[in-house]
């Protein structure tokens, strides 16, 4: 998908084409006359030539014959994931603007960058404790984005975990419950508890309302750094959570998780790895991940922390998605042989 979002100006063209209905019109037809399409959207010849040229150049569209426009075969293949395309476009617009305006602070004064950026203003965890209309509205914007990412990122992790050997899942910082619900859909005997802040839990209940697997997901509100964690779970997951916290707080969260996990249970960490910037400069859409690059850690940090806490059978795998991911599993000693 990211291949269509590498150029900022082409991404802007795609954003327009999606919002205006141009992509929808092309999706209903095998191809269209460029002049007919331009007339339908009131584009004069120079502007339509510019727009169609950008879309063709980005691989979104193709010209089967001169004067006719069609969606490219590769873009048609990813169009069912339109929600993810639009989420990436919207977030990249904010992140790229932050990098343009505040890049010196990004590399030299990270706290100043975070204070000035639109990206980090969006993730206001301090507004997630009291359930009010204003806090729900503000939190909904970033929960919708992270939910969309998880909708597509969960599978590569869950497909590699032996879910069938577990009965109760605790997803710490589980956001809208998307990850837990997908786990329950794959394992019919599994039930799940999502532990997150009160406003996030309220939005999570909305997200899973009406979904069959949602009936096996319970939300428990609290602050995982301070409040007692639910016990009696034999599988515990952190999905895109631990990078949010400084090293000592991340270790403390792992320690608390270890205490809550049933003996013999398994702990799973699923986190983005640092982008390999020396191998390839990121494109426009990767600016959404680049702003978080200072917080992504190598897998050794988590593996060593788990070993220090007494976990055994640690396994580390690398997943090459749109950005690299770590999948780390370890077992808490004890339990039935």
């Amino acid at each position: 998908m990211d291949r269509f979002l590498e150029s900022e100006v082409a991404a802007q063209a795609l954003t327009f084409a999606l919002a205006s209905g141009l992509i929808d019109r092309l999706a209903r037809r095998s191809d269209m006359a460029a002049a007919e399409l331009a007339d339908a959207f009131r584009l004069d010849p120079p502007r339509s030539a510019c727009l169609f040229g950008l879309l063709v150049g980005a691989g979104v569209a193709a010209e089967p014959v001169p004067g006719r426009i069609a969606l490219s075969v590769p873009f048609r293949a990813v169009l069912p994931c339109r929600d993810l395309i639009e989420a990436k476009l919207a977030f990249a617009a904010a992140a790229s603007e932050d990098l343009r305006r505040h890049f010196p602070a990004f590399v030299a004064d990270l706290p100043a960058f975070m204070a000035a950026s639109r990206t980090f203003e969006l993730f206001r965890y301090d507004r997630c404790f009291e359930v009010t209309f204003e806090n729900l509205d503000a939190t909904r914007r970033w929960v919708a984005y992270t939910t969309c990412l998880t909708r597509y990122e969960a599978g590569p992790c869950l497909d590699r975990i032996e879910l069938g050997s577990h009965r109760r899942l605790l997803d710490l910082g589980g956001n809208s419950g998307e990850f837990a619900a997908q786990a329950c859909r794959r394992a019919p005997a599994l039930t799940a508890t999502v532990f997150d802040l009160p406003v996030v839990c309220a939005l999570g209940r909305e997200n899973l309302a009406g979904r069959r697997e949602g009936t096996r997901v319970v939300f428990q509100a609290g602050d995982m750094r301070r409040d007692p964690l639910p016990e009696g779970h034999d599988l515990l997951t952190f999905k895109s959570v631990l990078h949010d916290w400084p090293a000592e707080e991340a270790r403390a969260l792992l320690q608390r998780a270890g205490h809550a996990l049933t003996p013999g249970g398994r702990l799973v960490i699923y986190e983005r790895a640092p982008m390999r910037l020396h191998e390839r400069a990121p494109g426009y859409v990767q600016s959404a991940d680049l702003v978080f690059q200072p917080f992504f850690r190598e897998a050794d940090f988590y593996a060593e922390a788990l070993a220090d806490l007494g976990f055994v059978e640690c396994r580390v795998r690398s997943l090459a998605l749109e950005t690299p991911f770590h999948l780390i599993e370890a077992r808490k000693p004890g339990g039935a042989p």
Side-chain angles (χ1 to χ4, degrees), residues 284-297:
Y284 168 72
V285 71
Q286 280 85 44
S287 59
D289 295 311
L290 184 61
V291 293
F292 298 108
Q293 175 77 357
F295 308 99
F296 298 145
R297 301 182 175 101

Side-chain angles (χ1 to χ4, degrees), residues 51 57 68 127 132 162 168 180 224-225 280 316 319 328:
L51 176 62
R68 298 194 71 82
R127 301 196 67 169
T132 65
E162 295 180 9
R168 298 189 67 199
M224 63 182 171
R225 298 169 299 171
R280 182 174 181 270
V316 177
L319 279 62
I328 304 162

Side-chain angles (χ1 to χ4, degrees), residues 175-247:
N175 201 269
S176 67
E178 186 66 33
F179 188 83
Q182 290 201 30
C184 288
R185 190 173 67 210
R186 284 168 166 78
L190 190 69
T191 61
T193 300
V194 172
F195 193 87
D196 214 317
L197 299 173
V199 174
V200 179
C201 286
L203 295 173
R205 295 185 188 99
E206 288 183 12
N207 178 51
L208 299 189
R211 288 170 57 173
R212 181 179 300 177
E213 61 272 19
T215 61
R216 289 185 279 132
V217 179
V218 173
F219 289 87
Q220 183 168 331
D223 184 341
M224 63 182 171
R225 298 169 299 171
R226 302 180 180 88
D227 295 332
L229 299 181
E231 297 183 347
H233 298 79
D234 62 346
L235 177 62
L236 191 151
T237 53
F238 286 101
K239 193 277 178 188
S240 300
V241 170
L242 294 172
H243 74 270
D244 278 342
W245 306 104

Side-chain angles (χ1 to χ4, degrees), residues 16-17 20-23 25 32 36-44 47 51-52:
F16 172 83
S20 66
L22 190 150
I23 293 293
R25 188 167 297 213
M32 291 186 65
E36 177 188 350
L37 197 59
D39 286 346
F41 290 90
R42 299 181 180 179
L43 302 173
D44 61 29
R47 289 188 297 160
L51 176 62
F52 298 156

Side-chain angles (χ1 to χ4, degrees), residues 2-335:
D2 286 3
R3 78 183 79 170
F4 305 108
L5 313 176
E6 290 293 313
S7 159
E8 180 171 0
V9 68
Q12 296 291 347
L14 178 56
T15 300
F16 172 83
L18 287 164
S20 66
L22 190 150
I23 293 293
D24 294 311
R25 188 167 297 213
L26 284 172
R28 293 192 293 267
R29 307 270 291 272
S30 58
D31 62 71
M32 291 186 65
E36 177 188 350
L37 197 59
D39 286 346
F41 290 90
R42 299 181 180 179
L43 302 173
D44 61 29
R47 289 188 297 160
S48 63
C50 178
L51 176 62
F52 298 156
L54 287 169
L55 295 174
V56 170
V60 172
E63 294 178 293
V65 295
R68 298 194 71 82
I69 298 294
L71 292 183
S72 71
V73 172
F75 187 76
R76 280 188 184 273
V78 302
L79 191 54
C81 306
R82 178 174 179 155
D83 57 341
L84 182 59
I85 296 172
E86 293 179 330
K88 282 174 170 278
L89 285 168
F91 199 78
S96 62
E97 180 65 16
D98 285 340
L99 290 169
R100 265 196 304 274
R101 296 179 60 192
H102 308 296
F103 193 83
F106 175 67
V107 296
D109 189 347
L110 188 58
F113 175 78
M114 294 173 66
S117 71
R118 292 169 57 196
T119 305
F120 288 94
E121 173 63 21
L122 180 65
F123 292 89
R124 287 279 303 276
Y125 296 150
D126 61 307
R127 301 196 67 169
C128 295
F129 289 89
E130 184 181 0
V131 181
T132 65
F133 176 81
E134 293 77 11
N135 286 344
L136 285 167
D137 186 55
T139 305
R140 193 186 310 275
R141 286 175 285 173
W142 67 261
V143 166
Y145 174 65
T146 54
T147 297
C148 188
L149 293 182
T150 299
R151 190 172 299 134
Y152 293 93
E153 293 169 353
C157 170
L158 295 172
D159 290 343
R160 290 166 171 81
I161 300 173
E162 295 180 9
L163 292 172
S165 62
H166 297 283
R167 291 295 177 265
R168 298 189 67 199
L169 163 66
L170 174 59
D171 193 17
L172 288 180
N175 201 269
S176 67
E178 186 66 33
F179 188 83
Q182 290 201 30
C184 288
R185 190 173 67 210
R186 284 168 166 78
L190 190 69
T191 61
T193 300
V194 172
F195 193 87
D196 214 317
L197 299 173
V199 174
V200 179
C201 286
L203 295 173
R205 295 185 188 99
E206 288 183 12
N207 178 51
L208 299 189
R211 288 170 57 173
R212 181 179 300 177
E213 61 272 19
T215 61
R216 289 185 279 132
V217 179
V218 173
F219 289 87
Q220 183 168 331
D223 184 341
M224 63 182 171
R225 298 169 299 171
R226 302 180 180 88
D227 295 332
L229 299 181
E231 297 183 347
H233 298 79
D234 62 346
L235 177 62
L236 191 151
T237 53
F238 286 101
K239 193 277 178 188
S240 300
V241 170
L242 294 172
H243 74 270
D244 278 342
W245 306 104
E248 288 309 309
E249 288 195 58
R251 290 191 186 95
L253 284 171
L254 287 171
Q255 183 176 38
R256 302 194 81 222
H259 288 316
L261 185 64
T262 297
R266 189 160 297 275
L267 188 147
V268 175
I269 299 170
Y270 187 41
E271 275 283 358
R272 274 182 169 79
M275 300 168 67
R276 308 306 180 194
L277 301 177
H278 61 286
E279 297 175 1
R280 182 174 181 270
Y284 168 72
V285 71
Q286 280 85 44
S287 59
D289 295 311
L290 184 61
V291 293
F292 298 108
Q293 175 77 357
F295 308 99
F296 298 145
R297 301 182 175 101
E298 298 294 350
D300 289 350
F301 171 86
Y302 300 111
E304 290 170 5
L306 291 171
D308 290 343
L309 293 171
F311 279 82
V312 297
E313 299 175 14
C314 186
R315 183 182 184 187
V316 177
R317 284 176 280 184
S318 297
L319 279 62
L321 306 184
E322 83 285 356
T323 57
F325 272 75
H326 301 310
L327 174 55
I328 304 162
E329 298 180 72
R331 186 176 65 83
K332 180 177 178 177

